[in-house]
């Protein structure tokens, strides 16, 4: 007979309060979620830093390319002068002191190119002693001269040859069509960042534009050699202001001397795409380009910070 008292009993397992294991497991899950959140935050922060760095590097690279392009154009201007003995003429773009004028005022009329000439007293006075004011922008620049005289962009009936290249330019801005000799372009408009844009063939509006599609400005003036102070030498406003030239690398020790000796400048709008001139550019465009709500002189200075400038004589 088997007695129940002799049957082996299973060992008792000590148990804690009901639900203890579930809470422990729940605690482990909570810690893992916190770790995950912290990791996500760290990764997000690293990505943000990388994006900011990439944008800065991209902007810096674009700015460097724009500056190099301006240098290439300046080299083209210097080559033009070396070959022909004078600087490219300044085309009258159909602007009066930088402001648009009626449609009849065009850079080319009756197959003749309108340019400033030293032999015309009013033109010489304007080039040497611009009487600008806060309500009158300095119009001693052209967005067409570079296309005419460095690229030979005009049609055959105007510069003697169809496509890039031209007849020999003359001091008055016209071309020596009778010579029949081809002058090769002084800049390569197929180069990235130095591109030819046709605005209006009938009016002869051709521009050299940058990567942003903004036309480079060719400033031309006659310095007043009777004075030595930069502010009194009639340097275009966008180049010489009470705050100094717009070149971000401006150094009074060297740049004042450079501008005192200069007779022309190549100016690009830089990476932000604006020149910083309230009388020729809208306030809203400059504010958008700079990401600020500034106005007046402060906005112009901010917009000019990345302008690219090359000067020569």
């Amino acid at each position: 007979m088997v007695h129940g008292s002799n049957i082996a009993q299973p060992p008792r397992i000590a148990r804690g309060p009901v639900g203890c294991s579930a809470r422990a497991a729940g605690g482990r899950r909570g810690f893992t979620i916190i770790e995950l959140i912290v990791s996500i935050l760290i990764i997000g922060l690293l990505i943000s830093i990388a994006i900011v760095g990439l944008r800065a590097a991209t902007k810096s690279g674009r700015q460097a390319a724009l500056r190099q392009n301006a240098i290439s154009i300046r080299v083209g201007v210097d080559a033009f002068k070396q070959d022909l003995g004078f600087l490219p003429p300044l085309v009258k773009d159909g602007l009066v002191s930088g402001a648009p004028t009626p449609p009849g005022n065009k850079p080319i009329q009756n197959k003749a190119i309108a340019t400033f000439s030293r032999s015309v007293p009013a033109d010489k006075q304007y080039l040497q002693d611009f009487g600008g004011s806060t309500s009158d922008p300095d119009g001693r620049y052209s967005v067409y001269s570079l296309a005419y005289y460095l690229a030979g962009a005009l049609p055959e009936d105007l510069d003697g040859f169809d496509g890039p290249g031209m007849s020999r330019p003359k001091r008055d801005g016209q071309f020596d069509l009778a010579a029949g000799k081809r002058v090769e372009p002084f800049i390569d408009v197929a180069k990235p960042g130095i591109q030819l844009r046709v605005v209006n063939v009938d009016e002869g509006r051709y521009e050299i534009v940058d990567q942003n599609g903004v036309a480079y400005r060719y400033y031309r003036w006659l310095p007043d050699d009777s004075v030595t102070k930069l502010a009194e030498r009639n340097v275009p406003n966008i180049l010489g202001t009470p705050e100094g030239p717009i070149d971000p690398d401006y150094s009074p020790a060297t740049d004042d001397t450079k501008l005192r000796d200069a007779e022309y400048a190549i100016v690009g709008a830089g990476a932000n795409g604006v020149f910083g001139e309230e009388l020729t550019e809208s306030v809203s465009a400059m504010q958008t380009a700079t990401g600020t709500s500034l106005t007046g002189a402060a906005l112009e200075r901010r917009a000019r910070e990345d302008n690219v400038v090359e000067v020569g004589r």
Side-chain angles (χ1 to χ4, degrees), residues 63 67 244-256 258 304-310:
Q63 186 71 11
R67 179 168 294 280
I246 58 177
D247 187 336
D249 299 323
Y250 169 68
S251 168
T254 58
D255 286 13
D256 274 357
K258 188 194 313 183
R304 294 179 182 185
E305 286 179 351
D306 69 346
N307 284 11
V308 292
V309 181
E310 288 294 317

Side-chain angles (χ1 to χ4, degrees), residues 211-233:
Q211 290 97 319
N212 296 322
V214 181
Y216 287 97
R217 291 181 177 184
Y218 170 64
Y219 281 84
R220 181 82 172 87
W221 68 95
L222 297 177
D224 186 347
D225 295 328
S226 65
V227 296
T228 57
K229 292 182 179 180
L230 180 60
E232 299 173 0
R233 288 179 61 82

Side-chain angles (χ1 to χ4, degrees), residues 7 16 19 37 50 60 86 94 99 124 130 138 147 152 163 170 174 191 199 204 211 215 232 256 279 282 296 309:
I7 298 175
I37 292 174
S60 177
F86 55 91
K124 183 176 181 180
F130 171 73
D138 190 338
K170 299 188 290 186
Q174 312 309 310
K191 178 181 179 182
V199 181
Q211 290 97 319
E232 299 173 0
D256 274 357
L279 295 174
S282 71
V309 181

